[in-house]
Amino acid sequence: MGNLSIVTIVIIAANVIISYKGFNDFGFFEKYKFQVGPIQRGEQIRMFSSGFLHADTQHLLFNMVSLYFFADVVISNLSSIQFLLVYLGSLMVGSLLSFYFHKNEYHYSAVGASGAVSGVIYSAILLRPDMDLLLFIIPIPIPAYLFGIGYLLYSIYGMKNRIGNIGHDAHFGGAIGGYVITLLLSPWLFETNLLMIVLLALPIALLFALKKLGKI
């Protein structure tokens, strides 16, 4: 993991350039961030542009470092173009799920590549569920598929309890995007990793069940 391809460099550069423009230009930031009210008035570009803006340097750095570590897993198992489809598709699904959950909150706003990066992470886990991940908060390696399931379960918890100033729904939507797009691009996974496909789908099914029951 961690090799930089041209497409990854371009995505990171776009995030850095657009984010720093937003840091130094309040009008630009306000015009292109995700915000429910303006999107309902027809400014759908915000669904996309918000994925390249960040709240601060720490937010930007965290997302780009996460992308750096997982992008090559997706590229090496798919292709650069398909990786780009996963990234941009996950960004949009993350925004769509945020809009779905907050459509009645006129002033709700969000920024960040977290949805897109979550999609890349979930895609990488689907393609390589046998990977071991070493997290800062857990000093021992854990299987990638357990991390993926735990990540989405925590996102559900965060959405339900509004934990922190974090777009948990965008993270979850991005993961759904990465999951679905990767399966569409790699139908052979149904033969090789069917159990993992089912396991990784469980948190997604749980989210929509809770939404239907009015629990979230």
Side-chain angles (χ1 to χ4, degrees), residues 70-191:
F70 287 95
D72 190 58
V73 177
V74 179
I75 292 169
S76 61
N77 283 276
L78 298 177
S79 70
S80 293
I81 295 298
Q82 290 178 327
F83 163 75
L84 192 60
L85 287 173
V86 170
Y87 185 90
L88 296 178
S90 298
L91 189 165
M92 288 307 299
V93 177
S95 290
L96 286 167
L97 195 72
S98 286
F99 188 79
Y100 173 67
F101 274 92
H102 299 282
K103 60 182 179 291
N104 296 321
E105 300 171 49
Y106 185 83
H107 296 290
Y108 178 85
S109 63
V111 293
S114 301
V117 173
S118 293
V120 171
I121 292 173
Y122 224 65
S123 176
I125 291 170
L126 198 54
L127 292 162
R128 287 286 312 280
D130 58 321
M131 287 189 301
D132 283 332
L133 304 180
L134 189 62
L135 308 178
F136 294 117
I137 55 173
I138 304 174
I140 57 172
I142 63 170
Y145 73 92
L146 286 181
F147 169 80
I149 293 168
Y151 178 75
L152 289 196
L153 291 176
Y154 174 74
S155 294
I156 292 173
Y157 178 75
M159 292 162 67
K160 185 175 174 60
N161 296 282
R162 300 287 181 120
I163 295 176
N165 188 27
I166 299 171
H168 295 285
D169 32 42
H171 294 185
F172 203 105
I176 293 173
Y179 177 85
V180 172
I181 295 166
T182 300
L183 290 177
L184 289 173
L185 295 173
S186 310
W188 50 266
L189 287 171
F190 286 99
E191 296 179 12

Side-chain angles (χ1 to χ4, degrees), residues 4 26 29 39 45 56 59 64 67 70 84 89 99 103 112 127 150 164 171 173 181 186 192 197-199:
L4 277 177
F26 180 76
F29 185 88
I39 291 170
I45 185 65
D56 51 41
H59 186 207
M64 294 305 99
L67 178 64
F70 287 95
L84 192 60
F99 188 79
K103 60 182 179 291
L127 292 162
H171 294 185
I181 295 166
S186 310
T192 60
I197 289 171
V198 173
L199 288 175

